[in-house]
Amino acid sequence: MEKAAKRRRLCDGVSGPGEERQSEGEASEPKSPCGSPPALSRVMSQIQIGDLHWNKIKRTNLDLDYTILFPKSVASSLLEALEDQVEYFTGDLARVRCLAMAQLTQKTATYGDPGLTYKYSGVQTPARPWLEPLQHIRDVLARVTGHDYNFVLINRYKDGNDKMGEHKDDEKELDAKVPIASLSLGQERNFYFKHQDSRPPKKFNIEKVQMQLQHGSLLLMNPPTNQFWYHALPPRKASQGVRVNLTFRKVVARLGKTDNST
Ligand SMILES: O=C(O)CCC(=O)C(=O)O
Ligand SMILES: [Fe+2]
């Protein structure tokens, strides 16, 4: 697609209910979201961590924190940069991943520190070297969470037909003490958590936790959430815009030393 047209579509696709909520209390919104954006590094270093409004969501063994991390213009600039720069898996690796997770329809990419690899839905995934926009986000997340993330999994949902099935991110390679930090850009989508005991064979009736993941939002999945609760992004045919989700993770195993038994 021609770049200007792509840019227009990306910016169009993120208006709606999220926009109103996002603009509340955000005085320092940089101008001209789709014109010539201010340098991302400068804008992102100006994000005031202390001004963020957090929603805490707690249930038995579920602990989430949700906020709008980036104002709309910054989130749109990030989405645009990532649409230009991220290289998604193609060929065999993409095919294996689809077979491994039948309910996975979106495109994926992984970036991180040199030599890192991560086994995700049965597939060993090598990390490409950090891209500049990803480094900026990683650095903001270090300020927000106090954790140094070394790996990011990127999922691109081209429209509301793309989805992700129920799963837990409880792989052995992950440092279980570090929350998974999930940044959403683009089309707002529904997301839910379901307790493992309320899946077949059902032991208990535990209510699902549902939320909307807005453009520029950050969701922290704190421990022990991923040991007990599945999460999923169901399809939404009416949601036609592109969505890019980045889950920042702390991987503890190095290339060649990962356990291949799972
Ligand atoms: O797209 C999302 O919001 C979820 C992605 C996710 O759960 C994952 O990458 O493990
Ligand atoms: Fe996940």
Side-chain angles (χ1 to χ4, degrees), residues 120 164 167-169 221 226 231 247 249:
Y120 175 76
M164 187 176 281
H167 67 282
K168 292 189 287 187
D169 292 316
M221 303 184 214
N226 265 299
H231 54 267
T247 44
R249 298 151 192 254

